[in-house]
Amino acid sequence: MIHVSACLATSLDGRLNWPDSDSRRIGSEQDLTRFFNVCQAHEAILTGAQTVRAFPKPLKANPYVHIILTQTGSLPWQAPLFASDSPARLWIASPLPPPNPLPQGVCRWIQTETPVTCIHNALTEANIGGLLIAGGGQVFSLWLNEDAIDTLHLTLTPHVMGMAASALCPMALRSAYSLRLTSQARYQDEIWLTYVITKHH
């Protein structure tokens, strides 16, 4: 059984980035520290390709599995995340067939149209019991739609971004979900929340 957490920062209207920039963070430096602390507790971290393009660096200093979900295979292959000395063991999940040879740093290519099931099966085979979703909204929505997220670490930032910015949950959901608050903290005008997620009946 894979325990899945998500760690995201949103504006008050549920947006993940500034309207004019995918790479400029909306959270504080202290929130970034909180994010890296959450990363430390997970053996595997999952991000979408857009998140990798915005922040193409390792998320931990010690070895970990970094899974990248990509539809097109368009990734910054020369970035530090893919370097030979990167602590990340990279898995790519994509509907595309794997190139031969695999790009530098990539040790596994999962060709799939059903990434939730296939990635969870691969993690089980690798004896990895915890997965962190670190971005973005498409990935979060995809896992939520499969009832596959257990815990949400959410930072509410004091901004309103509008429709031009990426949404936390851009996909239509098959179910509604209830969240039970398990911890909260405040840093200046940010609120740091941790929830347990259950399907709403």
Side-chain angles (χ1 to χ4, degrees), residues 57-77:
K57 299 178 182 179
L59 298 176
K60 296 175 65 173
N62 51 311
Y64 73 104
V65 171
H66 191 137
I67 308 165
I68 303 169
L69 192 60
T70 175
Q71 292 290 316
T72 66
S74 176
L75 294 168
W77 299 110

Side-chain angles (χ1 to χ4, degrees), residues 172-190:
L173 297 179
R174 293 191 291 267
S175 302
Y177 292 85
S178 297
L179 287 74
R180 179 170 58 85
L181 185 66
T182 59
S183 70
Q184 58 186 312
R186 175 180 170 181
Y187 173 75
Q188 296 183 351
D189 294 321
E190 289 182 345

Side-chain angles (χ1 to χ4, degrees), residues 48-120:
Q50 183 173 320
T51 300
V52 170
R53 287 191 288 268
F55 190 85
K57 299 178 182 179
L59 298 176
K60 296 175 65 173
N62 51 311
Y64 73 104
V65 171
H66 191 137
I67 308 165
I68 303 169
L69 192 60
T70 175
Q71 292 290 316
T72 66
S74 176
L75 294 168
W77 299 110
Q78 305 305 314
L81 179 63
F82 301 91
S84 58
D85 59 350
S86 170
R89 293 183 290 133
L90 295 168
W91 296 4
I92 305 295
S94 175
L96 300 173
N100 186 17
L102 292 177
Q104 177 176 276
V106 176
C107 59
R108 185 163 189 174
W109 190 289
I110 303 170
Q111 183 181 2
T112 178
E113 298 282 354
T114 56
V116 177
T117 299
C118 290
I119 287 172
H120 283 222

Side-chain angles (χ1 to χ4, degrees), residues 142-172:
L142 187 60
W143 257 252
L144 190 60
N145 236 347
E146 297 295 331
D147 304 331
I149 301 180
D150 304 292
T151 304
L152 172 61
H153 303 278
L154 182 68
T155 296
L156 291 179
T157 69
H159 310 293
V160 176
M161 300 300 192
M163 295 294 290
S166 300
L168 171 66
C169 204
M171 293 172 57

